[in-house]
Amino acid sequence: MPNLSFAETDQKNSPIICDDAIVRVHRSGIIELWDDNAVQMFGFAAEEAIGKSLDLIIPEKLRERHWKGWSYVVEQGVTGFNSDRTLTVPALRRNGSQIVVVFNMDIIRNHSGNIDAIKVVFRDIRKQP
């Protein structure tokens, strides 16, 4: 699968770089895609993250709450945190430190309309202007 980091061009043809991390998570909570920006943001290589639970980056004290929300999204097929609304939460890095990220989610459905996965876009708020 190609790298999903974004590099776009504005009207003057100068590059605009997006540092957002894109992570695809199977409906079961297992990471399926971990782009280069996720590597930079969270410190885990793609090989360390893909195939692992999203718990990899969720602080332990927030996991129960997270999985209740995740189950609701998967069962109901709706999320309140799409491109129009984000959520700010702490996240774990490989070295054990925490960062604060803003994220939104898009539900990915298969050809039958069933939920296959969820694409999560993370932004490290330390890097915001």
Side-chain angles (χ1 to χ4, degrees):
M1 185 164 269
N3 181 334
L4 293 180
S5 300
F6 293 114
E8 299 176 340
T9 304
D10 68 11
Q11 294 174 348
K12 297 177 185 174
N13 291 330
S14 60
I16 300 170
I17 305 299
C18 179
D19 291 330
D20 293 352
I22 299 174
V23 177
R24 177 184 163 123
V25 184
H26 185 268
R27 62 180 289 129
S28 66
I30 301 300
I31 298 165
E32 296 180 327
L33 178 130
W34 188 262
D35 79 350
D36 289 345
N37 287 338
V39 172
Q40 293 300 312
M41 188 176 297
F42 299 109
F44 294 96
E47 298 78 23
E48 295 175 293
I50 294 172
K52 302 288 190 310
S53 167
L54 197 55
D55 281 347
L56 190 69
I57 61 170
I58 301 170
E60 189 172 346
K61 67 181 182 179
L62 299 177
R63 289 178 187 164
E64 182 179 345
R65 183 175 172 189
H66 163 79
W67 290 115
K68 282 182 184 177
W70 184 270
S71 293
Y72 177 83
V73 169
V74 170
E75 291 168 13
Q76 300 300 314
V78 296
T79 175
F81 305 106
N82 52 28
S83 58
D84 297 330
R85 185 167 174 243
T86 60
L87 183 63
T88 304
V89 296
L92 292 176
R93 298 195 78 242
R94 187 176 192 274
N95 66 8
S97 66
Q98 287 191 15
I99 58 173
V100 178
V101 296
V102 174
F103 76 89
N104 63 44
M105 306 182 318
D106 289 311
I107 294 171
I108 301 170
R109 296 179 185 273
N110 62 24
H111 65 280
S112 301
N114 298 319
I115 296 174
D116 252 357
I118 296 176
K119 178 187 78 174
V120 187
V121 179
F122 294 97
R123 177 170 292 161
D124 182 345
I125 65 169
R126 297 173 304 171
K127 293 187 176 186
Q128 289 191 9

